[in-house]
Amino acid sequence: MTTKFTPDHEYIVVDGANGTVGISNYAQEQLGDIVFVELPAVGKVLKKGDEAAVVESVKAASEIYAPVSGTVTEVNEALNGEPGLINSDPEAGGWIFKIAITDAGELDGLLDDAGYADLTK
Amino acid sequence: MRYLPHSQHERDEMLGVIGASDIDALFSAVPKSALKSFTLDLPAHSPEFLVEAHLRALANKNHAAGDGPFFVGAGAYRHHVPATVDHLIQRSEWLTAYTPYQPEISQGTLQMLFEFQTQVAKITGMDVANASLYDGSTGTAEAVLMARRLTRKNKVVLSGGLHPHYRDVVKAYLKDDPDLVCLSPSPEGQGDVLEHIDGNTAAIVIQTPDFYGHLRDLKNAAEAAHAQGALLIVVITEVVSLGVLEAPGALGADIVVCEGQSIGNALNFGGPYLGLMATRKEFIRQMPGRLCGETVDADGNRGFVLTLSTREQHIRREKATSNICTNSGLCALAFSIHMSLLGEAGFVRLARLNHANAILLADALAAVPGVEVLNKTFFNEMTIRVTQPAASVVERLAQRGILAGVPASRLLPGEEGVENLIILAATELTTDADIAALAAALTEELA
Amino acid sequence: MSMNTQGRPTGIGTVGTGASGSALIPDEPLLFEIGDTEHSGVDLPEVELSSDRLGGFGRKTKLDLAGLTEPEAMRHYVRLSRMNHSIDSGMYPLGSCTMKHNPRLNEKMARLPGFSDIHPLQPVSTVQGALELMNELSYWLMTLTNTAAVALSPKAGAHGELLGMMAIKAAQEAKGEAHRTIVLVPESAHGTNPATAAFIGYSVKPVPAKADGTVDVEAVKAALSPEVAAIMLTNPNTCGLFEPQVIEIAKAVHDAGAFFYCDGANFNAIMGVVRPGDLGIDAMHINLHKTFSTPHGGGGPGAGPVVLSAALAPFAPVPFVRKAESGLELVEHVEEQALGRVTAFHGQMGMYVRALTYMLSHGADGLAQAAQDAVLNANYVKARLEHLFSVPFPDYPTMHEALFDDSFLKDTGVTTLDFAKALIDEGFHPMTMYFPLVVHGAMLIEPTESESKQTLDRFCDVMAELATDAKEGNSERFTAAPMKAPRRRLDETRAARQPILKWEKPAGTLKAAE
């Protein structure tokens, strides 16, 4: 499994043809306490860059864009009751949705750990 | 000028601190061609007593509702407002505060809004209410848009019993929308919506008591709507009716919109009024307008804040649920104070008194030759058919000092079958003598 | 992910006193905790309804509404009121909100029965004075703005925007230009602008600002195309600056076949001094509750009449007042009218009375003086504080607002929010924070013309002292603030995560009466 990042602070953990998407630890720190997550519908077909979800803190609403094209296969229902998971465990328990990747080539355009670390320095 | 604190000496001193030669230097970004390049054909400042005299002269040209027998309703109602209400809302701390964006120093307004939301939820029988909208008509348009967001469907059916102005506002908000179905006026109170509900329907909009005063069957409507995955939006223009009528929430309503003017607010020639909106708990994220919620402060004390504001325009901008910003805070305060003074006991008595007076009015009108009362059911308002064009009859009665109601044709010009209809309301302020005067005058005019 | 942040979440302070409630800073229970369903503060007769006409729709569920007697209600609402800051009790320098003095003559006039006790649908022959007042107010608004028409009925600024943009859409359609679907909105605009444009189906295209805080005419020209229906521009803008190229922008917009919607939220800076019609605007709403001092009332009611250019005048909604042989008539319907109506009845009459009273009191000379004093006051605050605070756009004199950014707080551990909360402990309402969005950690101060030099000096002294204190590292005074308000900082996260939006009876406390 490898983790890639977008310049917009989404991450995608890639496992074969499937990916798990959320927001980075840096992003959750910037946003502060997350109070609500609007999840996508399972089965929704997304193009890279499409708005997939919305993460709300008390005074900000941030769109989460699809890091790659694909179909939503699963969403993290736990966030409905406990949106703070994104703060406490952004890159594991605070994942937002899973996606079946249609074009693995799109992953090449994303940042790796080091590249993302540079971006948020 | 009595409202401007600076003396000329102080102005000069301040310009010195700024380092500006004169006041025009501060307007240097304004194109020369536009700065003070005109003479305004307007009067100069005026002492308080002269301004007052001018406005009194204008006011005196109007026939106030309290000047004689009065039966005008159709979406705005003359009720008694306790003196306490108007005294309290003029307190500086209520009148001259802004929207409570700094909760630590706005707990008065915020707690009041929390109480207001609770009162509205209780009278409508719904889970939650917002902190008010502009009025009932714009609230209805907002409810329609909200239902579309919730159902992701487009077709909306407006009952013919919906107030024509409300219908027009929805039409303006949904300009030229082919999925908006506006049914013909239904002055006899006939049910008209159910046959139009289909699988594409987002919502049906039913007013009760309707524009003509008839009470509508909400339970049937809710069942029919829900069977097709549509929502029932209930509109109430006379909120006092909820004192004796079953709460829409208990009958299956999904969104309830009321004009709240009747409680705590004067007629004011049409505004300011206040829109009430209440809905089911699961719909709050699509509800427009401000919401106040309970929380605690850093010391653990209970306090209140505006919450879920990410729905609103100042954060979501083009993705907001509505563009609404300023709402009807002071009118909501007046509503809430009046409702607190009424309480359950007073609210129910007030509603019963309205209904009792309306029964007296209906019976008196039915006895006038040439008058047919169309309503079998009503709360405090009814429609009569007379033997002459209604507008002329109402105008002639006004010349006799009696404001006898609203000719339906005023709101439905050119509409067939409404020319001879008058809509009349009675409230707790209607006296036996008022009713007798109306009946006598109407008998003469129709003879 | 996009970050669309207006403010920052409120942190929870750490210093607790636990004190809550005293004679002068009251702590008041909820109405439902004081009253019950049997108490009432009105005397109404109990009537017999032997045969109702409710057709079986009568209420079966309980209302469960708490009531208060009159003395209880009086005390409840007076005590609540004392937890509010208000203009009458202290300076309220909220940028873009124009919190000016509210003359009480306005209130007195609005309560004359000839205005407050008339029904919107009583015969027009019985409300000639009301129509005359609407006519007179219209004349003032058109004269002050040099425009051809005004639509009075919008209920607030955002509602006026909606109407103005609907009129623009109708006008474009009438020209056969319905394909124009884009509205240009500068990044510094009020949130209502993009919300309004999107609300009626336009797509929003942001226009970047120049480094000096104003809109670049070249950027507007580059953004204009045959698909653009209108530009929505605030002038003076939300940074408190007059747009120096506004006439060129208007010309470019018109040359491209688009309309110029001006957000008039900041009209207070220029009333009687500059006429927006001379700048080439086509539509502009005027917030009567800001510029003409109808009170804000804790968040409304407002009123947002829209002035219209000759090109847009035919698309004004109903109702409007027109002179006829028999006197004034109220036009409530126009056949084939493009727009129709945006509210029931005739708009905010109560606000019309207050605004006209305010205008007559000031006169043309007083309004111009008020605008100039508002600008003088903002520049004075800026001049007195610019050595300690950071000014993001120093190139132009400011108009009626002084704007600072948070760079002066760098490395102090104090945020804009903390700084603002510390002002509360000094007896001032905070300025507008984190708006406009284009300025980092913005502090937008609008003193208005109502503040005396003494008050401004006291405010500036306090601001200077706070800035010095922050820079010297005394951050706890800020992060723990406010300490002297009826409440400490409130937990907004908790409020949003588990919303409690109404009072519920605590479990297990059912009263015998129920």
Side-chain angles (χ1 to χ4, degrees):
Chain A
M1 289 198 293
T2 53
T3 303
K4 296 273 195 165
F5 295 87
T6 71
D8 294 324
H9 310 286
E10 291 94 5
Y11 68 77
I12 177 165
V13 180
V14 184
D15 183 6
N18 296 306
T20 303
V21 180
I23 64 170
S24 69
N25 186 53
Y26 172 83
Q28 71 80 16
E29 278 176 5
Q30 292 296 307
L31 284 171
D33 293 346
I34 302 300
V35 298
F36 182 72
V37 184
E38 195 179 306
L39 297 165
V42 172
K44 186 170 182 178
V45 178
L46 297 166
K47 284 205 305 289
K48 178 179 162 74
D50 279 358
E51 183 183 322
V54 180
V55 171
E56 294 184 9
S57 64
V58 172
K59 285 175 178 169
S62 306
E63 285 82 27
I64 307 300
Y65 303 117
V68 293
S69 305
T71 304
V72 177
T73 56
E74 194 182 340
V75 296
N76 188 358
E77 302 280 356
L79 295 176
N80 285 331
E82 210 182 329
L85 281 172
I86 290 185
N87 297 113
S88 58
D89 194 12
E91 294 175 24
W95 64 276
I96 298 172
F97 63 94
K98 295 188 179 177
I99 188 168
I101 302 168
T102 47
D103 178 4
E106 286 175 350
L107 291 166
D108 297 341
L110 301 180
L111 301 162
D112 60 13
D113 271 341
Y116 184 68
D118 274 352
L119 184 78
T120 53
K121 236 187 246 169
Chain B
M1 218 284 119
R2 61 186 176 274
Y3 302 138
L4 302 176
H6 298 330
S7 67
Q8 197 50 48
H9 173 75
E10 285 166 328
R11 289 189 182 105
D12 293 340
E13 202 182 328
M14 292 166 75
L15 283 169
V17 172
I18 295 164
S21 52
D22 58 20
I23 187 72
D24 285 356
L26 301 180
F27 287 82
S28 60
V30 178
K32 284 273 175 296
S33 63
L35 183 67
K36 300 180 186 171
S37 56
F38 46 81
T39 312
L40 297 170
D41 185 18
L42 294 168
H45 67 276
S46 187
E48 195 168 290
F49 59 88
L50 289 181
V51 176
E52 183 165 340
H54 180 83
L55 282 145
R56 273 187 193 282
L58 290 176
N60 288 341
K61 291 183 186 176
N62 300 324
H63 179 114
D67 292 347
F70 181 86
F71 301 91
V72 191
Y77 301 89
R78 181 166 187 261
H79 291 284
H80 176 70
V81 177
T84 306
V85 174
D86 201 44
H87 171 82
L88 282 169
I89 69 168
Q90 287 193 75
R91 271 187 73 90
S92 293
E93 299 89 335
W94 295 118
L95 187 75
T96 76
Y98 192 68
T99 304
Y101 285 140
Q102 297 297 323
E104 299 88 349
I105 47 172
S106 309
Q107 283 299 302
T109 296
L110 287 161
Q111 183 171 330
M112 178 280 287
L113 290 175
F114 186 79
E115 294 175 354
F116 169 83
Q117 289 172 187
T118 305
Q119 289 171 323
V120 174
K122 281 178 182 291
I123 61 172
T124 55
M126 303 299 287
D127 298 332
V128 286
N130 71 11
S132 83
L133 298 169
Y134 302 139
D135 68 358
S137 67
T138 53
T140 301
E142 295 273 10
V144 164
L145 297 170
M146 175 178 161
R148 283 183 159 187
R149 290 192 296 271
L150 284 166
T151 59
R152 297 172 193 255
K153 297 194 281 186
N154 276 335
K155 182 175 165 184
V156 174
V157 185
L158 307 185
S159 157
L162 181 65
H163 193 293
H165 281 179
Y166 287 43
R167 178 201 64 193
D168 291 348
V169 173
V170 175
K171 279 169 82 172
Y173 273 57
L174 269 62
K175 183 148 167 39
D176 296 335
D177 193 316
D179 291 318
L180 178 64
V181 179
C182 301
L183 301 177
S184 305
S186 48
E188 312 279 351
Q190 62 272 35
D192 55 355
V193 171
L194 305 196
E195 62 199 80
H196 294 273
I197 304 172
D198 59 29
N200 299 320
T201 306
I204 57 172
V205 181
I206 295 183
Q207 177 179 328
T208 190
D210 72 10
F211 179 60
Y212 305 94
H214 308 283
L215 306 185
R216 296 291 188 129
D217 187 341
L218 299 179
K219 195 155 180 285
N220 265 347
E223 284 164 7
H226 295 162
Q228 296 280 1
L231 302 184
L232 170 62
I233 298 172
V234 174
V235 174
I236 296 168
T237 60
E238 172 51 295
V239 71
V240 172
S241 66
L242 290 173
V244 292
L245 292 177
E246 184 56 286
L251 299 169
D254 298 292
I255 306 171
V256 180
V257 175
C258 308
E259 172 50 67
Q261 170 268 331
S262 284
I263 300 294
N265 288 273
L267 287 169
N268 285 324
F269 200 48
Y273 290 172
L274 73 156
L276 316 181
M277 181 184 270
T279 190
R280 298 177 185 276
K281 199 171 186 180
E282 59 266 33
F283 296 162
I284 50 174
R285 289 201 160 264
Q286 291 301 335
M287 179 157 62
R290 293 181 179 133
L291 283 167
C292 173
E294 182 184 320
T295 186
V296 294
D297 78 353
D299 292 336
N301 292 312
R302 179 171 69 186
F304 303 90
V305 292
L306 292 182
T307 192
L308 303 183
S309 55
T310 42
R311 302 163 299 118
E312 295 184 61
Q313 48 75 27
H314 63 283
I315 292 173
R316 289 312 292 275
R317 296 173 79 84
E318 68 267 27
K319 288 180 178 159
T321 52
S322 163
N323 76 337
I324 193 165
C325 182
T326 296
N327 55 13
S328 297
L330 204 67
C331 301
L333 172 67
F335 177 99
S336 195
I337 297 172
H338 192 182
M339 198 55 99
S340 304
L341 284 165
L342 288 165
E344 174 145 3
F347 189 52
V348 171
R349 278 204 296 270
L350 176 66
R352 291 168 66 90
L353 196 51
N354 272 257
H355 189 53
N357 282 345
I359 292 172
L360 293 176
L361 174 64
D363 291 348
L365 289 169
V368 174
V371 171
E372 179 197 354
V373 178
L374 301 188
N375 299 61
K376 291 191 180 61
T377 62
F378 55 82
F379 167 61
N380 70 350
E381 187 157 30
M382 65 210 68
T383 300
I384 60 172
R385 184 178 286 126
V386 293
T387 49
Q388 302 172 19
S392 160
V393 174
V394 167
E395 184 62 40
R396 291 188 331 255
L397 290 170
Q399 300 308 322
R400 304 167 68 137
I402 298 171
L403 298 180
V406 181
S409 59
R410 176 166 175 182
L411 291 99
L412 296 162
E415 197 75 49
E416 263 180 52
V418 303
E419 200 191 355
N420 288 11
L421 303 183
I422 306 175
I423 299 159
L424 302 94
T427 71
E428 75 281 6
L429 294 173
T430 309
T431 64
D432 293 353
D434 292 339
I435 294 172
L438 172 69
L442 200 53
T443 304
E444 286 177 32
E445 291 295 339
L446 294 177
Chain C
M1 191 183 72
S2 69
M3 297 231 186
N4 188 4
T5 307
Q6 198 208 15
R8 292 172 191 176
T10 312
I12 302 176
T14 49
V15 183
T17 62
S20 176
S22 71
L24 289 176
I25 304 179
D27 201 25
E28 180 66 5
L30 287 163
L31 146 68
F32 312 98
E33 295 162 340
I34 314 169
D36 63 30
T37 55
E38 293 181 340
H39 279 76
S40 180
V42 294
D43 289 319
L44 290 167
E46 182 62 66
V47 289
E48 284 298 315
L49 286 176
S50 49
S51 65
D52 70 52
R53 310 281 170 93
L54 301 176
F57 298 118
R59 186 176 268 277
K60 295 175 188 70
T61 55
K62 294 285 282 178
L63 279 151
D64 191 27
L65 266 181
L68 302 172
T69 57
E70 186 172 310
E72 294 172 301
M74 187 63 83
R75 193 160 289 164
H76 180 63
Y77 290 101
V78 168
R79 288 171 67 93
L80 281 182
S81 78
R82 289 168 67 175
M83 293 192 247
N84 280 355
H85 186 85
S86 65
I87 306 168
D88 288 350
S89 57
M91 188 171 165
Y92 217 126
L94 263 182
S96 99
C97 299
T98 314
M99 296 297 284
K100 59 166 73 177
H101 172 60
N102 297 136
R104 289 314 193 274
L105 179 64
N106 305 356
E107 295 301 313
K108 185 178 177 189
M109 293 301 95
R111 285 168 171 79
L112 293 174
F115 296 133
S116 66
D117 194 26
I118 53 175
H119 191 287
L121 296 177
Q122 66 187 65
V124 168
S125 59
T126 65
V127 290
Q128 286 290 303
L131 301 189
E132 222 176 289
L133 183 135
M134 289 166 73
N135 213 33
E136 198 172 332
L137 176 69
S138 300
Y139 175 77
W140 275 82
L141 293 173
M142 290 188 295
T143 304
L144 287 168
T145 54
N146 192 25
T147 49
V150 59
L152 289 181
S153 64
K155 297 272 178 181
H159 200 220
E161 271 178 40
L162 184 64
L163 182 158
M165 292 307 291
M166 285 174 168
I168 285 172
K169 198 171 191 192
Q172 290 289 18
E173 283 166 10
K175 287 198 297 176
E177 308 256 309
H179 58 275
R180 292 178 179 265
T181 55
I182 296 171
V183 170
L184 306 182
V185 181
E187 286 168 341
S188 61
H190 291 114
T192 51
N193 293 173
T196 300
F199 195 81
I200 56 171
Y202 282 123
S203 56
V204 174
K205 185 169 173 182
V207 179
K210 286 195 288 187
D212 67 5
T214 66
V215 173
D216 186 354
V217 65
E218 295 309 322
V220 172
K221 280 181 183 164
L224 283 166
S225 74
E227 276 75 53
V228 172
I231 188 168
M232 296 182 84
L233 192 69
T234 308
N235 188 38
N237 71 24
T238 58
C239 301
L241 305 176
F242 193 94
E243 291 289 350
Q245 292 180 299
V246 62
I247 292 177
E248 290 88 335
I249 291 171
K251 185 169 182 310
V253 166
H254 290 154
D255 286 350
F259 289 101
F260 179 0
Y261 187 89
C262 183
D263 182 326
N266 294 336
F267 188 51
N268 200 52
I270 57 171
M271 60 175 175
V273 183
V274 178
R275 298 183 303 187
D278 295 342
L279 306 173
I281 65 133
D282 292 296
M284 180 179 95
H285 70 265
I286 297 172
N287 303 77
L288 296 185
H289 50 291
K290 295 180 181 176
T291 312
F292 298 109
S293 187
T294 71
H296 280 78
V306 181
V307 292
L308 299 167
S309 64
L312 289 183
F315 302 94
V318 291
F320 50 85
V321 177
R322 187 163 65 188
K323 286 201 176 74
E325 270 179 35
S326 57
L328 292 169
E329 65 177 10
L330 186 65
V331 179
E332 295 176 284
H333 297 273
V334 179
E335 283 303 317
E336 299 303 311
Q337 213 277 347
L339 214 161
R341 99 181 4 260
V342 294
T343 176
F345 311 128
H346 325 311
Q348 308 285 66
M349 179 66 173
M351 303 298 132
Y352 305 160
V353 179
R354 290 171 175 88
L356 184 64
T357 303
Y358 181 86
M359 290 170 172
L360 290 167
S361 293
H362 279 79
D365 55 334
L367 293 178
Q369 187 64 58
Q372 293 175 90
D373 282 358
V375 171
L376 178 71
N377 286 357
N379 279 283
Y380 183 71
V381 167
K382 183 179 157 207
R384 281 217 41 199
L385 295 178
E386 62 193 349
H387 64 293
L388 286 166
F389 288 72
S390 29
V391 179
F393 306 121
D395 297 357
Y396 297 102
T398 194
M399 296 300 285
H400 63 308
E401 292 166 325
L403 175 63
F404 301 115
D405 63 31
D406 64 356
S407 51
F408 77 101
L409 291 172
K410 195 169 187 303
D411 301 327
T412 60
V414 176
T415 65
T416 293
L417 181 75
D418 297 330
F419 192 91
K421 296 294 184 192
L423 262 182
I424 292 175
D425 283 336
E426 305 302 322
F428 292 99
H429 193 282
M431 66 291 276
T432 291
M433 293 169 279
Y434 302 107
F435 181 85
L437 305 178
V438 292
V439 172
H440 195 271
M443 296 184 185
L444 189 64
I445 300 165
E446 181 178 4
T448 82
E449 71 276 15
S450 302
E451 298 303 334
S452 67
K453 180 170 176 297
Q454 289 92 325
T455 303
L456 294 175
D457 281 332
R458 202 159 63 242
F459 175 72
C460 292
D461 291 345
V462 166
M463 288 283 284
E465 197 256 326
L466 287 174
T468 306
D469 216 28
K471 289 176 187 185
E472 283 172 1
N474 298 323
S475 63
E476 195 185 322
R477 173 184 185 181
F478 297 89
T479 54
M483 302 289 287
K484 300 176 189 166
R487 282 290 179 277
R488 303 281 310 287
R489 278 194 222 184
L490 290 133
D491 187 346
E492 299 191 36
T493 299
R494 174 175 166 146
R497 278 188 180 162
Q498 261 104 36
I500 303 173
L501 304 174
K502 67 172 182 182
W503 179 80
E504 305 270 10
K505 196 173 303 207
T509 57
L510 293 176
K511 291 181 190 170
E514 282 156 345

